[in-house]
Structure formats: C-alpha cells, structure tokens
Amino acid sequence: MNTDKYKNLRYRLMETENWPLKYMFKFITPNEDGKVEQIKALLPTEGEVTFKHTENLKHVSLTCVAWMETADQIIEITEKVDEIDGVIVL
C-alpha cells in the first residue's frame, strides 16, 4: 500500500463518522488496450458507473458512485486502478 500517496485521502475519509457512505470514484483513462474494462472490473459491482468520452474518443472519464463500508475499501480500489498505466485518478 502506497500510504504516502493516499495519506491525505485516508485522513479526510477517516474524519467522517457516517459509515457506510456513498463515495464517488472518478478516473480518466486512454480509450485503448481494454483499460476501461480493466477499471470496471476493479470497481464495486453494485456501484452506478457512467462514462463520458472526449470529443475525439481518445480518453474516457469513468465515474462510479457506490456505498462503501470503510476508508480502507476506498483506498484499496483507488490504488489498484492507479496501477493501470495511463490512468489519472481524480
């Protein structure tokens, strides 16, 4: 776990006392090599996923809104998606 990179996110998530909470994951990825499907496979299956393509279809924005039980779940998903080459975590 890359704790330094997600230290601020973890801190902000831990400040909330309202668990479970509805969390929005947001990523931008090149529209190539099955990256959209790789990201979708890592997201919560019960989450609502939406997509928005750039005008030239070179990139895709993925948004997933899902109920999450803990900050650790959120960090784990975010770290796994961040390992995919070319993905921007927002």
Side-chain angles (χ1 to χ4, degrees):
M1 181 182 290
N2 190 347
T3 54
D4 291 338
K5 188 170 185 176
Y6 296 105
K7 185 177 180 178
N8 189 37
L9 175 60
R10 182 181 303 282
Y11 176 77
R12 287 185 285 134
L13 289 169
M14 296 304 285
E15 283 185 324
T16 186
E17 296 176 9
N18 302 322
W19 292 95
L21 61 78
K22 202 174 228 185
Y23 186 77
M24 180 178 6
F25 295 94
K26 189 138 181 119
F27 309 103
I28 298 174
T29 184
N31 191 16
E32 59 187 29
D33 300 329
K35 291 182 189 222
V36 172
E37 291 303 318
Q38 290 176 37
I39 295 170
K40 274 182 54 179
L42 296 172
L43 296 173
T45 55
E46 68 281 353
E48 181 180 328
V49 181
T50 57
F51 308 92
K52 185 173 180 181
H53 293 79
T54 56
E55 197 170 304
N56 61 7
L57 302 178
K58 288 181 81 172
H59 292 86
V60 180
S61 168
L62 286 90
T63 302
C64 176
V65 178
W67 284 98
M68 302 303 293
E69 297 292 326
T70 66
D72 289 335
Q73 286 179 320
I74 294 169
I75 298 296
E76 180 181 340
I77 291 169
T78 303
E79 284 181 329
K80 286 180 181 177
V81 173
D82 194 27
E83 290 175 2
I84 299 170
D85 189 40
V87 174
I88 299 170
V89 177
L90 300 177

